[in-house]
Amino acid sequence: MENVKKVMLTGDRPTGRLHIGHYVGSLRERVRLQNEGDFDEMYIMIADTQALTDNAGTPQKVRDNVIEVALDYLSVGIDPTRVSIFVQSRIPELFEFTCYFSDLVTLSRLERNPTVKAELGMRKFGESIPVGFLTYPISQAADILLFGTTIVPVGEDQAPMIEQAQEIAHKFNITYGEAFVEPKIMLPSSESCRRLPGTDGKAKMSKSLDNAIYLRDDEKTVTKKVMSMFTDPTHLQIDDPGHTEDNPVFMYLEAFATDEHFARFLPEYKNLEALEEHYRRGGLGDVTVKRFLANVLNDVLNPIRARRHELEKDIGKVYQILEEGTAKAREKASFIANIARRKMGILYFEDRKLQEKQQKAYKKLHEQEEALAAYLAKNKKD
Ligand code: TRP
């Protein structure tokens, strides 16, 4: 398959506003890929159906976050003329193929998925695991495969989903004939971007832990959150030597601070290495570092906030962007779906060749029956 198009697809569950962890982990990367222009097609999915797999009782929460996530995408600089932003639930082909794909995957394979396992543990479903939740990796494979996706930029936790999609593509292609591309994962480029801890130093930013800095937090809120951040607990006096590794303040700086930020906000230091060196040596207070981080974050977030503010004035237009993106996405998914249905031989009404083949078989059958009847009739007479 040498001439396949370069197609990028990724997405998010609309269960909450996006935070700076999402920004460094994926959003910033998506904007970079968009601007580099290497892909023939780019899709970003708002995975509302997947969000419902563990929010079935609160569709309003999912609904409200569809627009929040769309606003976040557009405000970080995703350009809807280059990227189709679409809503998962409006592409019926995805659910049709989730069904066919389910026949190619075993229950034990699903139960081995480490990300699903971890999520099941956190969600405390007990014995009452929704079927839709356990099987969402199959649905996610449809999300990826129905667009002919070659590259899926996601975080490490999504690796098992991409593997599942590769397996399903392979299984489908050898069972029915080639219809799907086996997609490849693309992980965030630098270590500091793969995992941004919460402001409290806990492994992940989340709403429930109240340790996240959101893209739409205002300047004051960001500064307040940064000034109360967890740092190195052994760095008690300014003169004490400090630790920069596993120190969230420095991890954030690694993800965000540029030399230009130093020139503008903290010219005593040339770059992050110089600042880190001083912190480790002792004599550098946390407040100085935090003030700098607050400046850096606000500098990065200001243009994002400004764009969001403009977009929030015309919500109807944002929905129109989603509707147009969804129409484009549907066109692609239905094209690939038809190729796959043809390979499966289930295009009952449209597939003339299959109809002709069946017609020939019937014709042959009738001829044999007639020949047999004539033979028997002749025998009887003789
Ligand atoms: N599972 C992804 C997440 O939790 C969201 C998602 C749904 C997705 N469908 C996708 C990501 C397809 C990449 C490709 O963030």
Side-chain angles (χ1 to χ4, degrees):
M1 289 207 236
E2 256 179 31
N3 289 322
V4 295
K5 283 190 174 169
K6 282 186 171 178
V7 179
M8 186 220 86
L9 180 140
T10 187
D12 301 278
R13 292 180 198 173
T15 52
R17 285 186 210 137
L18 302 182
H19 51 60
I20 61 169
H22 294 115
Y23 183 70
V24 290
S26 59
L27 299 173
R28 190 168 61 180
E29 197 91 338
R30 295 176 197 175
V31 175
R32 185 179 64 80
L33 294 172
Q34 160 192 291
N35 294 340
E36 282 174 1
D38 272 349
F39 289 98
D40 299 307
E41 295 169 20
M42 298 181 81
Y43 298 95
I44 300 183
M45 159 188 288
I46 302 182
D48 62 329
T49 308
Q50 189 175 110
L52 285 168
T53 61
D54 63 338
N55 289 286
T58 50
Q60 191 60 38
K61 173 181 156 192
V62 174
R63 189 210 154 94
D64 289 345
N65 281 303
V66 168
I67 190 73
E68 289 299 324
V69 169
L71 283 163
D72 285 332
Y73 287 162
L74 295 169
S75 55
V76 298
I78 300 291
D79 172 0
T81 66
R82 285 187 275 181
V83 177
S84 303
I85 305 174
F86 72 98
V87 178
Q88 183 188 21
S89 62
R90 289 310 189 94
I91 315 282
E93 287 80 2
L94 297 180
F95 312 110
E96 179 186 343
F97 279 81
T98 298
C99 204
Y100 303 143
F101 292 165
S102 299
D103 303 330
L104 304 175
V105 179
T106 65
L107 197 53
S108 65
R109 173 66 184 87
L110 283 179
E111 286 165 346
R112 274 205 311 276
N113 185 311
T115 299
V116 174
K117 261 194 199 165
E119 286 173 325
L120 286 175
M122 283 189 303
R123 291 196 182 34
K124 302 188 175 60
F125 288 128
E127 292 295 299
S128 314
I129 302 170
V131 171
F133 190 82
L134 190 65
T135 59
Y136 89 72
I138 302 177
S139 159
Q140 188 162 336
D143 297 345
I144 296 167
L145 300 182
L146 268 284
F147 294 89
T149 306
T150 49
I151 297 288
V152 191
V154 279
E156 246 163 327
D157 64 320
Q158 294 297 302
M161 311 303 160
I162 315 306
E163 271 164 40
Q164 180 73 86
Q166 290 163 344
E167 280 175 36
I168 290 174
H170 181 74
K171 188 87 193 274
F172 188 101
N173 290 348
I174 57 168
T175 307
Y176 305 112
E178 290 201 354
F180 295 113
V181 178
E182 286 186 38
K184 290 200 172 65
I185 191 169
M186 181 182 195
L187 292 166
S189 45
S190 81
E191 192 55 42
S192 62
C193 297
R194 287 191 193 180
R195 213 162 279 270
L196 206 60
T199 52
D200 57 357
K202 294 227 173 75
K204 237 182 154 175
M205 276 195 190
S206 84
K207 191 176 167 197
S208 50
L209 294 173
D210 193 24
N211 64 356
I213 295 176
Y214 294 97
L215 292 177
R216 53 163 294 184
D217 282 349
D218 60 24
E219 237 180 280
K220 257 170 117 182
T221 309
V222 170
T223 305
K224 206 172 122 212
K225 285 181 179 176
V226 169
M227 294 317 284
S228 60
M229 267 178 82
F230 175 88
T231 63
D232 173 10
T234 66
H235 187 241
L236 298 171
Q237 309 280 334
I238 288 191
D239 289 334
D240 290 341
H243 296 87
T244 53
E245 72 281 5
D246 292 329
N247 181 334
V249 174
F250 280 94
M251 290 165 92
Y252 285 22
L253 285 176
E254 271 159 38
F256 286 101
T258 60
D259 293 357
E260 200 194 305
H261 285 133
F262 276 95
R264 269 170 60 204
F265 303 120
L266 200 62
E268 302 90 292
Y269 302 89
K270 200 165 166 270
N271 52 30
L272 189 56
E273 284 91 83
L275 188 76
E276 287 181 334
E277 197 276 319
H278 192 185
Y279 191 83
R280 284 197 285 261
R281 187 156 34 96
L284 174 58
D286 281 323
V287 173
T288 306
V289 186
K290 285 179 174 178
R291 274 214 193 99
F292 175 59
L293 175 61
N295 279 328
V296 169
L297 286 182
N298 280 323
D299 183 65
V300 172
L301 293 177
N302 271 334
I304 298 174
R305 288 180 190 124
R307 263 194 299 257
R308 196 182 220 278
H309 192 77
E310 277 310 300
L311 292 158
E312 284 170 357
K313 288 181 188 162
D314 196 350
I315 291 299
K317 192 171 147 212
V318 178
Y319 275 114
Q320 198 188 327
I321 289 172
L322 288 184
E323 205 175 338
E324 285 165 10
T326 304
K328 265 201 203 144
R330 173 114 203 248
E331 205 179 303
K332 178 70 188 267
S334 70
F335 177 77
I336 304 251
N338 248 341
I339 294 175
R341 291 185 194 113
R342 188 174 299 278
K343 297 284 176 179
M344 291 174 76
I346 58 169
L347 278 181
Y348 307 108
F349 313 135
E350 302 85 345
D351 197 334
R352 297 276 165 234
K353 266 199 199 132
L354 259 178
Q355 290 180 8
E356 275 164 29
K357 215 168 136 193
Q358 285 176 335
Q359 186 65 78
K360 266 192 201 140
Y362 266 114
K363 205 173 153 217
K364 206 167 159 193
L365 186 73
H366 289 164
E367 281 167 5
Q368 268 174 10
E369 279 171 354
E370 278 161 26
L372 186 66
Y375 175 77
L376 291 175
K378 188 162 173 274
N379 266 1
K380 220 178 187 177
K381 252 194 250 157
D382 294 344

